Amino acid sequence: MLRFLLRRAALIVPTFIGVTLVAFALIHFIPGDPVENISGERGMDAARRARLLHEFGLDRPLPVQYLNYVGQVLHGDLGTSLTTHEPVLREFATLFPATVELAFFALLFALAVGLPAGALAAVKRNTAADYVVMGAALTGYSMPIFWWALLLILFFSVQLGWTPVSGRIAVQYDVAATTGFMLVDTLKAGDWAAFRSALSHLVLPALVLGTIPLAVIARITRSAMLEVLREDYIRAARSRGLGTVRVVVVHALRNALIPIVTVIGLQVGLLLSGAILTETIFSWPGIGNWLIHGVQARDYPVVQGGVLLIATIVITVNLIVDVLYGVINPRIRHG
Amino acid sequence: MDAVPAGHAPLLDVAGLAVSFPGAHGDVAAVTDAAFSVAAGETLGIVGESGSGKTVSALAIMGLVDAPARVTARTLAIAGHDVAALRPGDRARRALLARRVAMIFQDPLASLDPCYSVGAQLDEVLKEAGTADERASRARRRARALELLRDVEIPDPAARLAAYPHQLSGGMAQRVMIALALAARPALLIADEPTTALDVTVQAQVLALLRKLQAETGMALLMISHDLAVVAAMAARVVVMYAGEVVESGAVPAIFATPRHPYTAALVAALPESVPLGAPLAALPGRVPDPRHRPAGCVFAPRCARRAERCTETRPALADAGGTAVRCFFPLHGPASPAVAGAMP
């Protein structure tokens, strides 16, 4: 297990080089630069522009700029935002809990619906229930996120008025951000009205962000369950008079979970990238929204630092999933 | 057809059992006419080659054959309760079965859930089908689990409780399967090819264990095997199945000494013991008919050396012929004609 962990940890080095290189190259490929963005429509005289470019270190050759950046990152410094002049790491740390809160509830929704739906489809294979679940999963998977979000907003927010259109909490509530998780903070403050407001703001974005992972989880659960339901030990468990629910949940689903967990780990990357779009649609103040603004403002440190941090988190989560894989699979745990 | 002591309903009574699977070109019959009964405490063997329907019959009795397959039976009674009309998943049927009939399978390692330890699996079945005491108390269940592992002669049972299936050998896994089966104190244990997947030395140990446990608990045993020798060593009576139907049934000594059905005779002749050392083993030409294209008359006719015109046209019924039941128009060793060794012409 330790050797396995070390081997996986060693992969972080090439991944780090790849991610920084790609993030650096992509943001520099976009036409324009931060100085142009600052000067706006009125323009700026050449001398002032040259001074600013020099100040940001953008007048040097790209390879030098890249190496400077990497050197800086290796010292734990992700630079400061060119627009807000705040350290990138601090901005990220402030906004990240909002994204985690959103992604967590999206995943929770995807699991709470996807696992039972997939299991049901497998148990009732080739029946109407199976076709409905799989049809809905395919629809969810192929639906463009922004369109799905707009549909939900039009129906639940505009038509029915059940949920707010955007943001994390209604403006009248001022809750001290101790953890950064709005639901936790409002609960700690004991402010039930604020908690309800935060919850109603969370529902639609979480549903939208969770839709694709839900579809993936439902489909993978169905196929993993179909495989397991054919196994001898399922027949043996049934021969002992165990009830259907017990056989399906305790024996079949437990064994099917082994391939499912791998897929759930991969969904985390999808959740964080999906969050960028979802947060933009719902004006959710998380890192997705922040990155989009960074790209628009050609805020190089924000984009590079943000991408690097997200990549690090995805790698870490997948590492945790690999460890979890050993925990849920006795054949790996007791080699 | 088999003599059951008068006044006692047999523990298991099966007649006219049929199982068919829907196929692309109409139904495929896996079992067409299985009939046998097991009395309390006795051992009945079922022999037949693969595809003869012996395993499917057992699964159908246990209610483990799922839709779209269709199970029908003229009689399917467990301890006097007729369950022929109940659906396989029916709660009442399941409750009736769980406390009375247990089953062990051909591949013991694949029949244990890989995610749970031996102890957890024993605990689960005791919680479901143990005594009231056992269902109520975790400590009781643990004590009983240890006792069960000792009963099936597993060394160091306390350590084995924590073991996972992949840490067990095949023989050890089959012992655990037997312990799981015994947990509900069944009146009947169905053993489907219990030793086929095991090493020869382990086979004998497991058979000896089954005999010992049967003597201790008084349970009945339904021993399913393709191996006539295994059945002969265990059972007092034997049912021979071929292509989904019973072709002969009777007491083991009679079946061995004077097989009536040509198929049984061929099975007996194929035993290594019945061939002189150095001589080639007897082999039966041909193969079991494809269930999609069953012969119109006797199912064995295409492979039978004794077949007459009648055999390919009319299906013989299972008829009582001097103590054994046989499904043949021209049985061997009729009471009139005394036994002749190697009577197959």
Side-chain angles (χ1 to χ4, degrees), chain A residues 57-91:
Chain A
L58 299 174
D59 55 343
R60 275 172 283 182
L62 281 183
V64 177
Q65 285 186 41
Y66 174 71
L67 289 178
N68 279 344
Y69 179 69
V70 170
Q72 198 189 323
V73 169
L74 286 179
H75 287 92
D77 178 11
L78 288 175
T80 51
S81 162
L82 300 182
T83 42
T84 63
H85 305 288
E86 286 277 326
V88 169
L89 196 59
R90 191 193 299 161
E91 284 204 328

Short mmCIF file of all heavy atoms in Angstrom, two decimals, chain A residues 57-91:
data_model
loop_
_atom_site.label_atom_id
_atom_site.label_comp_id
_atom_site.label_asym_id
_atom_site.label_seq_id
_atom_site.Cartn_x
_atom_site.Cartn_y
_atom_site.Cartn_z
N GLY A 57 6.48 41.99 -15.75
CA GLY A 57 7.42 40.98 -16.24
C GLY A 57 6.99 40.37 -17.56
O GLY A 57 7.39 39.27 -17.91
N LEU A 58 6.13 41.09 -18.31
CA LEU A 58 5.59 40.51 -19.53
C LEU A 58 6.39 40.92 -20.77
O LEU A 58 6.04 40.56 -21.88
CB LEU A 58 4.12 40.95 -19.71
CG LEU A 58 3.18 40.49 -18.60
CD1 LEU A 58 1.80 41.09 -18.80
CD2 LEU A 58 3.10 38.98 -18.57
N ASP A 59 7.48 41.68 -20.56
CA ASP A 59 8.27 42.09 -21.72
C ASP A 59 9.39 41.10 -22.02
O ASP A 59 10.09 41.22 -23.00
CB ASP A 59 8.86 43.49 -21.48
CG ASP A 59 9.66 43.55 -20.18
OD1 ASP A 59 9.48 42.64 -19.34
OD2 ASP A 59 10.44 44.50 -20.00
N ARG A 60 9.53 40.11 -21.15
CA ARG A 60 10.60 39.14 -21.38
C ARG A 60 10.12 38.00 -22.27
O ARG A 60 8.92 37.81 -22.45
CB ARG A 60 11.11 38.61 -20.03
CG ARG A 60 12.18 39.54 -19.44
CD ARG A 60 12.54 39.15 -18.05
NE ARG A 60 11.54 39.57 -17.09
CZ ARG A 60 11.68 39.36 -15.78
NH1 ARG A 60 12.73 38.72 -15.32
NH2 ARG A 60 10.76 39.78 -14.96
N PRO A 61 11.09 37.21 -22.85
CA PRO A 61 10.67 36.10 -23.73
C PRO A 61 9.80 35.10 -22.95
O PRO A 61 10.01 34.92 -21.74
CB PRO A 61 11.98 35.45 -24.16
CG PRO A 61 13.07 36.41 -23.78
CD PRO A 61 12.55 37.34 -22.75
N LEU A 62 8.86 34.44 -23.66
CA LEU A 62 7.91 33.52 -23.00
C LEU A 62 8.60 32.43 -22.17
O LEU A 62 8.19 32.17 -21.03
CB LEU A 62 6.96 32.90 -24.03
CG LEU A 62 5.81 33.80 -24.48
CD1 LEU A 62 4.90 33.04 -25.44
CD2 LEU A 62 5.00 34.27 -23.28
N PRO A 63 9.65 31.73 -22.72
CA PRO A 63 10.28 30.68 -21.92
C PRO A 63 10.81 31.21 -20.59
O PRO A 63 10.69 30.55 -19.55
CB PRO A 63 11.43 30.18 -22.81
CG PRO A 63 11.01 30.55 -24.18
CD PRO A 63 10.23 31.83 -24.07
N VAL A 64 11.37 32.44 -20.62
CA VAL A 64 11.88 33.02 -19.38
C VAL A 64 10.72 33.28 -18.41
O VAL A 64 10.78 32.98 -17.22
CB VAL A 64 12.64 34.33 -19.68
CG1 VAL A 64 13.11 34.98 -18.37
CG2 VAL A 64 13.81 34.07 -20.60
N GLN A 65 9.64 33.82 -18.98
CA GLN A 65 8.45 34.07 -18.14
C GLN A 65 7.96 32.78 -17.50
O GLN A 65 7.61 32.74 -16.31
CB GLN A 65 7.31 34.66 -18.99
CG GLN A 65 7.49 36.11 -19.37
CD GLN A 65 6.25 36.63 -20.07
OE1 GLN A 65 5.14 36.34 -19.67
NE2 GLN A 65 6.44 37.40 -21.11
N TYR A 66 7.96 31.69 -18.30
CA TYR A 66 7.47 30.41 -17.77
C TYR A 66 8.36 29.92 -16.64
O TYR A 66 7.87 29.53 -15.57
CB TYR A 66 7.40 29.37 -18.89
CG TYR A 66 7.05 27.98 -18.38
CD1 TYR A 66 5.77 27.72 -17.92
CD2 TYR A 66 8.00 26.97 -18.31
CE1 TYR A 66 5.43 26.48 -17.43
CE2 TYR A 66 7.68 25.72 -17.82
CZ TYR A 66 6.40 25.48 -17.38
OH TYR A 66 6.07 24.25 -16.89
N LEU A 67 9.69 29.98 -16.88
CA LEU A 67 10.60 29.48 -15.86
C LEU A 67 10.51 30.33 -14.60
O LEU A 67 10.53 29.80 -13.48
CB LEU A 67 12.03 29.46 -16.40
CG LEU A 67 12.26 28.37 -17.45
CD1 LEU A 67 13.69 28.42 -17.99
CD2 LEU A 67 11.96 26.98 -16.86
N ASN A 68 10.37 31.63 -14.77
CA ASN A 68 10.19 32.51 -13.61
C ASN A 68 8.97 32.08 -12.80
O ASN A 68 9.00 32.00 -11.58
CB ASN A 68 10.00 33.97 -14.05
CG ASN A 68 11.33 34.63 -14.35
OD1 ASN A 68 12.37 34.11 -13.97
ND2 ASN A 68 11.30 35.75 -15.05
N TYR A 69 7.87 31.82 -13.57
CA TYR A 69 6.61 31.45 -12.91
C TYR A 69 6.78 30.15 -12.13
O TYR A 69 6.39 30.06 -10.96
CB TYR A 69 5.50 31.31 -13.95
CG TYR A 69 4.18 30.91 -13.34
CD1 TYR A 69 3.48 31.81 -12.53
CD2 TYR A 69 3.65 29.65 -13.53
CE1 TYR A 69 2.29 31.45 -11.95
CE2 TYR A 69 2.45 29.28 -12.95
CZ TYR A 69 1.77 30.19 -12.16
OH TYR A 69 0.60 29.83 -11.58
N VAL A 70 7.39 29.15 -12.79
CA VAL A 70 7.57 27.85 -12.14
C VAL A 70 8.43 28.00 -10.89
O VAL A 70 8.11 27.45 -9.82
CB VAL A 70 8.18 26.81 -13.11
CG1 VAL A 70 8.57 25.55 -12.36
CG2 VAL A 70 7.19 26.49 -14.21
N GLY A 71 9.50 28.80 -11.01
CA GLY A 71 10.38 29.02 -9.85
C GLY A 71 9.61 29.62 -8.70
O GLY A 71 9.71 29.19 -7.54
N GLN A 72 8.78 30.59 -9.04
CA GLN A 72 7.94 31.27 -8.04
C GLN A 72 6.99 30.28 -7.37
O GLN A 72 6.87 30.24 -6.14
CB GLN A 72 7.17 32.34 -8.82
CG GLN A 72 6.55 33.45 -8.03
CD GLN A 72 5.66 34.27 -8.96
OE1 GLN A 72 6.00 34.47 -10.14
NE2 GLN A 72 4.55 34.73 -8.46
N VAL A 73 6.34 29.42 -8.21
CA VAL A 73 5.37 28.45 -7.68
C VAL A 73 6.07 27.47 -6.75
O VAL A 73 5.55 27.11 -5.69
CB VAL A 73 4.66 27.71 -8.83
CG1 VAL A 73 3.87 26.53 -8.29
CG2 VAL A 73 3.76 28.64 -9.59
N LEU A 74 7.28 27.04 -7.15
CA LEU A 74 7.99 26.08 -6.32
C LEU A 74 8.31 26.66 -4.95
O LEU A 74 8.50 25.92 -3.98
CB LEU A 74 9.27 25.62 -7.02
CG LEU A 74 9.02 24.67 -8.19
CD1 LEU A 74 10.33 24.28 -8.86
CD2 LEU A 74 8.27 23.41 -7.74
N HIS A 75 8.38 27.98 -4.84
CA HIS A 75 8.57 28.60 -3.53
C HIS A 75 7.24 28.86 -2.83
O HIS A 75 7.17 29.59 -1.86
CB HIS A 75 9.35 29.91 -3.67
CG HIS A 75 10.80 29.69 -3.97
ND1 HIS A 75 11.31 29.64 -5.26
CD2 HIS A 75 11.84 29.44 -3.16
CE1 HIS A 75 12.59 29.39 -5.21
NE2 HIS A 75 12.96 29.26 -3.93
N GLY A 76 6.18 28.30 -3.41
CA GLY A 76 4.88 28.42 -2.76
C GLY A 76 4.18 29.73 -3.05
O GLY A 76 3.19 30.07 -2.40
N ASP A 77 4.67 30.47 -4.04
CA ASP A 77 4.07 31.77 -4.34
C ASP A 77 3.35 31.69 -5.68
O ASP A 77 3.97 31.50 -6.72
CB ASP A 77 5.17 32.83 -4.38
CG ASP A 77 4.62 34.20 -4.72
OD1 ASP A 77 3.38 34.36 -4.72
OD2 ASP A 77 5.42 35.11 -5.00
N LEU A 78 2.04 31.82 -5.66
CA LEU A 78 1.28 31.75 -6.90
C LEU A 78 1.09 33.14 -7.52
O LEU A 78 0.38 33.31 -8.49
CB LEU A 78 -0.09 31.11 -6.65
CG LEU A 78 -0.08 29.61 -6.37
CD1 LEU A 78 -1.47 29.12 -6.03
CD2 LEU A 78 0.46 28.84 -7.55
N GLY A 79 1.74 34.15 -6.95
CA GLY A 79 1.66 35.50 -7.51
C GLY A 79 0.44 36.24 -7.01
O GLY A 79 -0.34 35.74 -6.20
N THR A 80 0.28 37.46 -7.49
CA THR A 80 -0.88 38.27 -7.11
C THR A 80 -1.71 38.57 -8.34
O THR A 80 -1.19 38.65 -9.45
CB THR A 80 -0.45 39.60 -6.47
OG1 THR A 80 0.50 40.22 -7.34
CG2 THR A 80 0.16 39.39 -5.11
N SER A 81 -2.99 38.72 -8.13
CA SER A 81 -3.89 39.03 -9.24
C SER A 81 -3.52 40.39 -9.82
O SER A 81 -3.20 41.33 -9.09
CB SER A 81 -5.33 39.04 -8.73
OG SER A 81 -6.15 39.73 -9.64
N LEU A 82 -3.56 40.48 -11.15
CA LEU A 82 -3.22 41.75 -11.79
C LEU A 82 -4.38 42.73 -11.69
O LEU A 82 -4.19 43.93 -11.86
CB LEU A 82 -2.87 41.52 -13.26
CG LEU A 82 -1.69 40.58 -13.53
CD1 LEU A 82 -1.42 40.48 -15.02
CD2 LEU A 82 -0.45 41.06 -12.80
N THR A 83 -5.58 42.25 -11.42
CA THR A 83 -6.72 43.16 -11.34
C THR A 83 -7.05 43.58 -9.91
O THR A 83 -7.33 44.73 -9.65
CB THR A 83 -7.97 42.54 -11.99
OG1 THR A 83 -8.05 41.18 -11.61
CG2 THR A 83 -7.90 42.62 -13.50
N THR A 84 -6.99 42.65 -8.97
CA THR A 84 -7.35 43.01 -7.60
C THR A 84 -6.13 43.23 -6.71
O THR A 84 -6.26 43.75 -5.61
CB THR A 84 -8.20 41.90 -6.94
OG1 THR A 84 -7.40 40.72 -6.89
CG2 THR A 84 -9.47 41.63 -7.72
N HIS A 85 -4.94 42.81 -7.19
CA HIS A 85 -3.69 42.92 -6.43
C HIS A 85 -3.74 42.14 -5.12
O HIS A 85 -3.02 42.44 -4.18
CB HIS A 85 -3.33 44.39 -6.19
CG HIS A 85 -3.27 45.16 -7.46
ND1 HIS A 85 -2.25 45.00 -8.37
CD2 HIS A 85 -4.13 46.05 -8.02
CE1 HIS A 85 -2.47 45.75 -9.43
NE2 HIS A 85 -3.61 46.40 -9.24
N GLU A 86 -4.62 41.14 -5.07
CA GLU A 86 -4.67 40.23 -3.92
C GLU A 86 -3.83 39.00 -4.28
O GLU A 86 -3.78 38.61 -5.45
CB GLU A 86 -6.12 39.76 -3.69
CG GLU A 86 -7.03 40.79 -3.09
CD GLU A 86 -6.89 40.86 -1.59
OE1 GLU A 86 -6.65 39.79 -0.97
OE2 GLU A 86 -7.01 41.97 -1.03
N PRO A 87 -3.21 38.34 -3.29
CA PRO A 87 -2.51 37.09 -3.60
C PRO A 87 -3.50 36.07 -4.19
O PRO A 87 -4.62 35.94 -3.68
CB PRO A 87 -1.99 36.62 -2.24
CG PRO A 87 -1.97 37.84 -1.40
CD PRO A 87 -3.06 38.73 -1.90
N VAL A 88 -3.06 35.37 -5.25
CA VAL A 88 -3.93 34.39 -5.92
C VAL A 88 -4.40 33.32 -4.94
O VAL A 88 -5.57 32.94 -4.91
CB VAL A 88 -3.18 33.75 -7.10
CG1 VAL A 88 -3.95 32.55 -7.64
CG2 VAL A 88 -2.96 34.78 -8.19
N LEU A 89 -3.46 32.85 -4.09
CA LEU A 89 -3.80 31.77 -3.17
C LEU A 89 -4.90 32.19 -2.20
O LEU A 89 -5.81 31.43 -1.91
CB LEU A 89 -2.53 31.34 -2.40
CG LEU A 89 -2.62 30.00 -1.70
CD1 LEU A 89 -2.90 28.89 -2.69
CD2 LEU A 89 -1.31 29.72 -0.95
N ARG A 90 -4.80 33.47 -1.72
CA ARG A 90 -5.80 33.91 -0.76
C ARG A 90 -7.18 34.02 -1.42
O ARG A 90 -8.19 33.61 -0.85
CB ARG A 90 -5.41 35.25 -0.14
CG ARG A 90 -6.30 35.59 1.06
CD ARG A 90 -6.15 37.03 1.51
NE ARG A 90 -4.78 37.32 1.94
CZ ARG A 90 -4.28 38.56 2.02
NH1 ARG A 90 -5.03 39.60 1.68
NH2 ARG A 90 -3.05 38.75 2.41
N GLU A 91 -7.20 34.57 -2.64
CA GLU A 91 -8.47 34.67 -3.37
C GLU A 91 -9.08 33.28 -3.57
O GLU A 91 -10.27 33.07 -3.36
CB GLU A 91 -8.25 35.34 -4.73
CG GLU A 91 -8.05 36.82 -4.66
CD GLU A 91 -8.40 37.51 -5.97
OE1 GLU A 91 -8.20 36.88 -7.03
OE2 GLU A 91 -8.89 38.65 -5.91
#
